[in-house]
Amino acid sequence: MRSLRAARPRILLTAFAAGTLLLGSACNDSTKPAQDQAVATPPTAPATPSATATPTPTPKPTGADDPALKPFYGQQIAWAACPADPQAAKAKIDISGMLCGKLHVPLDYTAPATDALDIALIKLPAAKPDQRIGSLMVNPGGPGASGIEMVKYGAKEYEGTLHNRFDVVGFDPRGTGESSPVICYDDKQHEEADQRDSSLDPAVRKADHVKYGTEHAAACQAKSGKLLPFVGTRNTARDLDVLRAAVGDKKLNYLGISYGTYLGALYAEQFPQNTGRLILDGAVDPAQDGLDHGIDQQVGFEKSFERFAADCVQNHAAECPLGKDPAKAAQKAADFLDGLREHPMTAKDGRKLGADLAWTGTIQMLYGDEKTSWTYLRNALGWAMLGKKGDYLLAFADEYNGRDENGHYSPMEEANSAIGCADRVRPAPTPERAQEAVDRLKAEAPLMSKGVSVDDYTEPSCAYWPFKTTEQPHTIRAEGSAPILVVGSTGDPATPYASSEALAKGFANAGLLTRVGEGHGAFGKGNGCIDAALEAYLVEGTMPAAGTRCS
């Protein structure tokens, strides 16, 4: 399962410049509540006492200690059989043993007695109730990915000890999926945007960015303005603590992948005393500036692309369309993908596969490992380059963009930008820093940053967004937390290994587990060493030995 959104070359180059963390998942959302049902009526709650100015004010209670939040913390979730899901049935996924429910949370935690919203939940009950430890909350990344789909479509990943000992609980964070999603566009508007290649002219690209940024902010404000100030990850971490209490757990056991590591880290920062066993896999470094993160990510995908292309030639020559020279293979693939700008392919459904969509489909497959996803990418490039059929690359791009086979788009893209802008805003870089960024891209990621210019990095992030956050990058210590397990993969293109090292080092009480291999994240990659270490930690509380590396 892909868990972090990377900026695709060209079309989202200015999103990198914006400095937002572009994260997400390949899960598709097929059912969403209507926007006019997004905000529910809160439970009866005592009025928040008015503050009285004193020379030494008493700290305001937080979490379950806040009297105004007791109705939320004390709620009982009405679990019931999940509604029929045609997509799951088509995929032959049995959801009959799963339960669904809703969690009621304040829209605004500073005024919990006003508006509220419902967080959609799914539970895979422990297979051996008499050996049940508690709940394992999971988040696949994003921001914008569906935790419900992580459980529904990924249930096999928990088979065995984890399913036996835990209720696996997924949730769609506020502003996403089935939990009052941020909506900005209809399917037609998404489709039109995807069918356009971005300009190679820096001046035109900059003008397009200003136009898109202005129109995007206005569209989101018009359809989801009430939600925008409240969809940040810090609020989602507070929802997670309410969920912990509502399922009856004294401590939070949690698996977060990619952006989910940021959610887990913020939870540990706000509620260190409530941490149980937290796995943060494929980590985002919360102290890293958004611009640096974006550049590191682009370089990470470039290096992964080069390794894929060389592997194609060296180990799969009979089916590789990239020639015979490993050193030139990546350039040959890039030239083909870039050439689709002037000579797009037409898919069976009549849509065009241009350069941006083709690169997007390629990046989608680089999230996976060399055993499976690289095989799919190799075959897709062969079909496109030799067979003149781009349908497979287009299908991979659709998966990345949250588009299903009926042309319906999930609200993942909107949630991604809304949560990103609620989480952090970067000021415009100095001309010198912008030039440094461009120089690094040209030197370390020339294939995926073709045409990049300083003009792509002149504006602050979220420049046109209607809500301005005060969040800033910072090291998270989480003093007083239980031991936290950070997991990093050496070949991870989306969250480079250095980010996992930095997150683990920043915590007051954490260890680092390393997977040596390609692809984003370690969970679900079929690595027996990793799986055994994660099970030992979750079930027994045993941290892997310092320096453990799993090949």
Side-chain angles (χ1 to χ4, degrees):
M1 175 174 289
R2 183 174 61 80
S3 304
L4 185 144
R5 297 191 66 74
R8 59 187 183 241
R10 325 293 197 268
I11 196 166
L12 289 184
L13 190 58
T14 47
F16 264 139
T20 56
L21 294 179
L22 298 170
L23 320 169
S25 170
C27 298
N28 293 326
D29 176 32
S30 58
T31 57
K32 299 177 293 300
Q35 191 61 27
D36 59 2
Q37 297 174 339
V39 180
T41 303
T44 302
T48 305
S50 58
T52 302
T54 61
T56 54
T58 301
K60 187 180 185 300
T62 59
D65 295 330
D66 186 345
L69 295 178
K70 287 190 180 297
F72 296 98
Y73 273 88
Q75 68 186 287
Q76 297 292 314
I77 299 170
W79 294 105
C82 294
D85 184 341
Q87 287 188 344
K90 184 176 181 179
K92 297 182 179 181
I93 294 174
D94 182 11
I95 64 171
S96 61
M98 301 180 190
L99 300 174
C100 289
K102 299 285 186 181
L103 180 76
H104 214 51
V105 297
L107 176 66
D108 179 0
Y109 275 92
T110 67
T114 54
D115 288 328
L117 50 82
D118 287 332
I119 303 299
L121 310 171
I122 192 169
K123 177 169 68 173
L124 178 66
K128 295 184 177 180
D130 59 324
Q131 299 180 25
R132 178 182 176 276
I133 294 172
S135 302
L136 175 64
M137 313 299 181
V138 298
N139 180 277
S146 171
I148 289 179
E149 295 192 351
M150 183 180 182
V151 173
K152 183 183 294 185
Y153 295 102
K156 65 185 176 86
E157 304 295 350
Y158 312 100
E159 288 178 354
T161 303
L162 295 186
H163 184 200
N164 289 340
R165 306 297 300 276
F166 291 94
D167 293 337
V168 182
V169 179
F171 62 99
D172 285 355
R174 57 172 60 208
T176 74
E178 299 178 33
S179 300
S180 302
V182 172
I183 301 293
C184 308
Y185 306 110
D186 59 28
D187 291 336
K188 182 180 178 181
Q189 290 170 311
H190 276 293
E191 192 78 80
E192 290 173 349
D194 279 349
Q195 285 288 288
R196 289 194 299 267
D197 276 337
S198 57
S199 175
L200 291 180
D201 184 323
V204 173
R205 191 164 61 241
K206 182 176 181 179
D208 287 345
H209 173 60
V210 172
K211 182 176 183 292
Y212 168 78
T214 304
E215 292 177 350
H216 177 66
C220 295
Q221 176 67 21
K223 294 187 176 183
S224 301
K226 189 173 184 177
L227 285 169
L228 300 184
F230 306 110
V231 297
T233 304
R234 195 168 292 278
N235 277 328
T236 298
R238 300 191 70 171
D239 295 343
L240 190 54
D241 197 55
V242 174
L243 177 58
R244 172 200 58 78
V247 299
D249 289 352
K250 292 183 178 180
K251 303 290 184 179
L252 177 73
N253 299 313
Y254 174 78
L255 167 63
I257 303 175
S258 193
Y259 157 81
T261 66
Y262 182 60
L263 172 58
L266 280 188
Y267 180 90
E269 181 178 57
Q270 294 184 95
F271 304 102
Q273 73 283 1
N274 294 342
T275 55
R277 296 160 188 172
L278 273 60
I279 296 175
L280 307 182
D281 178 16
V284 173
D285 178 6
Q288 188 177 36
D289 173 81
L291 177 59
D292 289 336
H293 170 84
I295 299 300
D296 284 351
Q297 195 180 67
Q298 188 114 334
V299 170
F301 274 99
E302 176 98 5
K303 300 308 179 188
S304 179
F305 184 61
E306 291 174 351
R307 293 192 296 271
F308 155 77
D311 175 77
C312 180
V313 172
Q314 292 172 332
N315 300 319
H316 308 277
E319 56 194 64
C320 181
L322 304 182
K324 298 181 179 180
D325 187 345
K328 298 179 180 178
Q331 183 67 63
K332 183 171 183 177
D335 289 345
F336 168 76
L337 296 172
D338 287 337
L340 293 172
R341 179 180 302 278
E342 297 298 329
H343 304 285
M345 292 182 173
T346 302
K348 289 182 179 179
D349 62 6
R351 289 185 296 152
K352 299 293 185 181
L353 177 72
D356 286 347
L357 280 174
W359 272 109
T360 300
T362 299
I363 285 176
Q364 165 67 4
M365 288 297 100
L366 294 178
Y367 279 92
D369 62 22
E370 60 271 38
K371 295 179 182 178
T372 305
S373 293
W374 283 16
T375 299
Y376 292 149
L377 179 55
R378 188 167 60 246
N379 293 339
L381 285 172
W383 274 87
M385 297 175 72
L386 304 178
K388 307 302 179 184
K389 296 179 180 179
D391 295 82
Y392 290 109
L393 283 175
L394 185 58
F396 298 154
D398 286 345
E399 187 179 7
Y400 182 104
N401 290 328
R403 181 189 188 276
D404 67 21
E405 60 187 8
N406 298 316
H408 174 65
Y409 285 78
S410 80
M412 185 170 59
E413 295 278 1
E414 289 99 319
N416 192 286
S417 60
I419 297 171
C421 287
D423 278 351
R424 60 175 69 187
V425 173
R426 175 193 53 73
T430 63
E432 293 78 15
R433 184 148 187 249
Q435 187 62 58
E436 289 174 1
V438 170
D439 290 345
R440 185 183 172 203
L441 283 175
K442 289 182 176 180
E444 299 182 45
L447 302 180
M448 290 194 177
S449 60
K450 186 177 181 179
V452 64
S453 80
V454 173
D455 283 343
D456 294 313
Y457 294 87
T458 57
E459 291 188 340
S461 65
C462 306
Y464 310 99
W465 200 246
F467 167 70
K468 304 300 180 184
T469 184
T470 59
E471 293 282 348
Q472 293 293 330
H474 63 288
T475 297
I476 293 180
R477 292 286 295 160
E479 298 280 358
S481 76
I484 296 170
L485 180 57
V486 179
V487 187
S489 296
T490 57
D492 193 327
T495 49
Y497 181 68
S499 294
S500 292
E501 291 181 304
L503 180 64
K505 184 178 180 180
F507 282 130
N509 189 5
L512 176 64
L513 174 65
T514 301
R515 179 179 73 91
V516 180
E518 299 291 341
H520 180 45
F523 178 75
K525 289 291 194 294
N527 184 304
C529 171
I530 289 289
D531 293 345
L534 299 186
E535 281 189 10
Y537 171 71
L538 286 173
V539 175
E540 306 294 339
T542 303
M543 292 285 284
T548 297
R549 295 171 70 86
C550 295
S551 299

